[in-house]
Amino acid sequence: MSTRAIAHTRKLLAAGLLFAAVFSAAPLQAQKCTVSPAQVKLGGTLRIICPAEFTSAKLNDRPAKLYPQTDGKRFGLLPISVKDAPGTFSLLISRADDGAPQNLPVVIRKTIFPSQNVKLTPETEGLHSTPEEMALLTSFREAISETRSWADPLAPPVSGCMTSPFGVKRLHNGKPTGEYHGGVDQRTPEGEPIRAVTAGTITFARQFNVLGNAVGIDHGQGLESMYLHMSRLVVAAGAAVQRGDILGYAGSTGRSTGPHLHWVLYVNGVNVNPAQWVKLVPCSTAAKKR
Ligand SMILES: [Zn+2]
């Protein structure tokens, strides 16, 4: 055999061994669930992928359902709230049958959120939600539909830079509100189209005292989005939308200090950081680049 032929044989042998290793590991791998990211910030979303027999997950007291996917696996989202405690925890993943559950470590990282003051006029500060509005928003967050309409990657609803990130502690006219920013604000001129981040069904499209003209979309399997302060709405409840469809036009209705888009992502009813899902450039960074 020539040197060349020997090298070729060695390569084949190596490939064969590699194949054998992958092949023998495959049945073991198939029994295991994975969670990502392994280290998550406050406001982050965990993605859990499992073999079909695993049907639910739980982190501390927060449950998450794992839904059957078209590839035969199960998939679920589990939100980490801004108000959760950092630390190392065990994600418990259970089966529908009496098979052994699985435990995966999850590190919730300490996350520092800045403070931000918002100047409000007496008229805008005096706006409050009605009990009927509060009830509608609660039922929107709590309704989790089984059919998945959403797909990665989500699209930004507008192209403008981010004037206020997720999680900042909010002050109104210098007074702490005890609330955090549950979404992101993007700079948007009045009248710019606001687009759906991914496919779904419109749950509501109407006027609210504080939120202004707002749209809520159910994307299925625990993911929802909401778009606020629009000047005009062009969709109605019950309509199906695709990624990028126009929902309405930017404005400054409700408790707002000027035209912008405030939008929110919910996972199983918990506000999560949209910046983990969509690439958003802070206006401070955008200004430096110019
Ligand atoms: Zn906002």
Side-chain angles (χ1 to χ4, degrees), residues 164 170 181 184-185 229 260 262:
S164 180
R170 278 295 172 87
H181 196 213
V184 296
D185 291 341
H229 309 307
H260 75 290
H262 175 143

Side-chain angles (χ1 to χ4, degrees), residues 96-113:
D97 57 22
D98 49 6
Q102 230 189 82
N103 280 283
L104 292 172
V106 167
V107 177
I108 301 178
R109 288 168 57 189
K110 204 176 155 189
T111 313
I112 311 285
F113 296 109

